Amino acid sequence: MKLLRRIANLGYGSRKQVTEMFREGRITHANGEVLYADDMLDEHARHEDVRVDGEPLDPPPGLLLMLHKPVGCTCSRKDQGQLVYDLLPPRFALRDPVLSTVGRLDRETSGLLLMTDDGVLLHRIQSPKGNIAKVYEATLARPLRGDEAKMFASGKLRLEDEPTPLLPAEMEVLEPQRARLTLHEGRYHQARRMFAAVGNHVETLHRASVGGLSLGDLPAGQWRALDEADRARIFTGMP
Ligand code: URA
């Protein structure tokens, strides 16, 4: 593939704009040599050796990243107010293939959000067959009654307008009005609706981990690209 095409597809600009960037000598090899619009990736430079204005080129297609989503931003491409895409470099919204969220978190939910441009990977993570545990921490409007964990684990709880019962889920009491909930599927507003089904109301909801991958010390609003070890954590469930 021509370097020009790769850089344009990463959202740095139209082909015309990227051609101009080459002309201006802004695209270089890590060793300082100027690269040219006609150069082929791999022949003249490996992706990781390319610099744009001295900065490493964004990750190639196959990108998987985690974002610490703050409360108040939306998992959508177009909406009013702040979007998760606003927390990434602006060119990420222009990448081809497109970068999508792996499932969604509600506007009012914070925590670990995965994003990828790899459709196969997206489906693998989202599919209930993968049985990837998602752990949420919820603060509640009322004290827990004591029977919630049993009901959530039963595999018989049916949410309003849902044709099938929920898969068994685990709940741990953290404080009288705080619980950790582990889900193995991702239905619409699932955690909030589960607590509503047992007479409570979720006041704050935070996703702490997906499989064995947790946010670690990633601050709210920040993101990082995931490497092979992180990917393995998602699927093995091991930290
Ligand atoms: N369950 C919810 O209710 N909301 C989320 O954002 C995620 C899971």
Side-chain angles (χ1 to χ4, degrees):
M1 175 189 278
K2 274 197 185 165
L3 199 45
L4 169 63
R5 186 164 152 211
R6 167 59 57 85
I7 295 176
N9 285 354
L10 289 174
Y12 284 85
S14 64
R15 292 200 188 193
K16 199 170 158 207
Q17 288 165 326
V18 176
T19 305
E20 192 52 35
M21 289 165 74
F22 274 105
R23 280 214 196 96
E24 291 165 353
R26 292 168 57 192
I27 300 173
T28 55
H29 191 281
N31 66 13
E33 263 173 45
V34 170
L35 293 166
Y36 296 94
D38 281 342
D39 284 347
M40 299 297 286
L41 201 58
D42 284 334
E43 205 176 305
H44 292 275
R46 294 175 309 150
H47 187 108
E48 54 270 40
D49 292 333
V50 178
R51 302 286 179 269
V52 178
D53 296 329
E55 295 295 323
L57 194 57
D58 287 343
L63 171 64
L64 176 66
L65 66 84
M66 76 169 164
L67 171 71
H68 185 161
K69 179 192 168 306
V71 166
C73 74
T74 311
C75 293
S76 161
R77 271 173 214 293
K78 278 192 195 133
D79 202 355
Q80 286 180 343
Q82 194 183 37
L83 311 179
V84 289
Y85 291 93
D86 297 335
L87 300 170
L88 305 173
R91 58 183 176 270
F92 275 31
L94 305 172
R95 283 172 68 108
D96 175 14
V98 295
L99 189 63
S100 308
T101 64
V102 181
R104 286 174 172 221
L105 291 177
D106 304 336
R107 191 169 179 276
E108 299 313 318
T109 303
S110 60
L112 199 170
L113 179 73
L114 295 172
M115 298 178 78
T116 186
D117 60 8
D118 180 338
V120 174
L121 183 63
L122 185 145
H123 288 295
R124 228 185 120 203
I125 298 172
Q126 270 194 300
S127 165
K129 285 190 200 135
N131 193 23
I132 294 175
K134 288 143 203 133
V135 179
Y136 295 88
E137 286 162 10
T139 55
L140 303 162
R142 288 176 273 285
L144 289 152
R145 300 189 307 216
D147 61 345
E148 295 89 347
K150 198 167 166 213
M151 288 183 70
F152 293 165
S154 69
K156 294 192 181 126
L157 185 66
R158 196 185 289 257
L159 298 176
E160 223 175 287
D161 297 331
E162 294 267 349
T164 54
L166 296 176
L167 291 175
E170 298 86 54
M171 195 205 83
E172 197 186 326
V173 180
L174 299 175
E175 287 170 28
Q177 289 184 216
R178 263 188 80 225
R180 181 176 294 130
L181 181 65
T182 303
L183 303 182
H184 303 273
E185 57 189 333
R187 302 205 199 179
Y188 181 66
H189 289 173
Q190 185 169 343
R192 293 174 199 275
R193 290 164 75 208
M194 285 171 75
F195 281 105
V198 293
N200 215 321
H201 174 77
V202 170
E203 291 203 319
T204 70
L205 188 64
H206 175 81
R207 181 152 75 187
S209 60
V210 175
L213 181 72
S214 6
L215 283 168
D217 52 11
L218 190 67
Q222 302 287 307
W223 65 278
R224 74 171 173 85
L226 301 182
D227 60 18
E228 283 309 318
D230 294 315
R231 288 170 195 236
R233 286 185 187 102
I234 295 173
F235 291 107
T236 61
M238 307 289 283

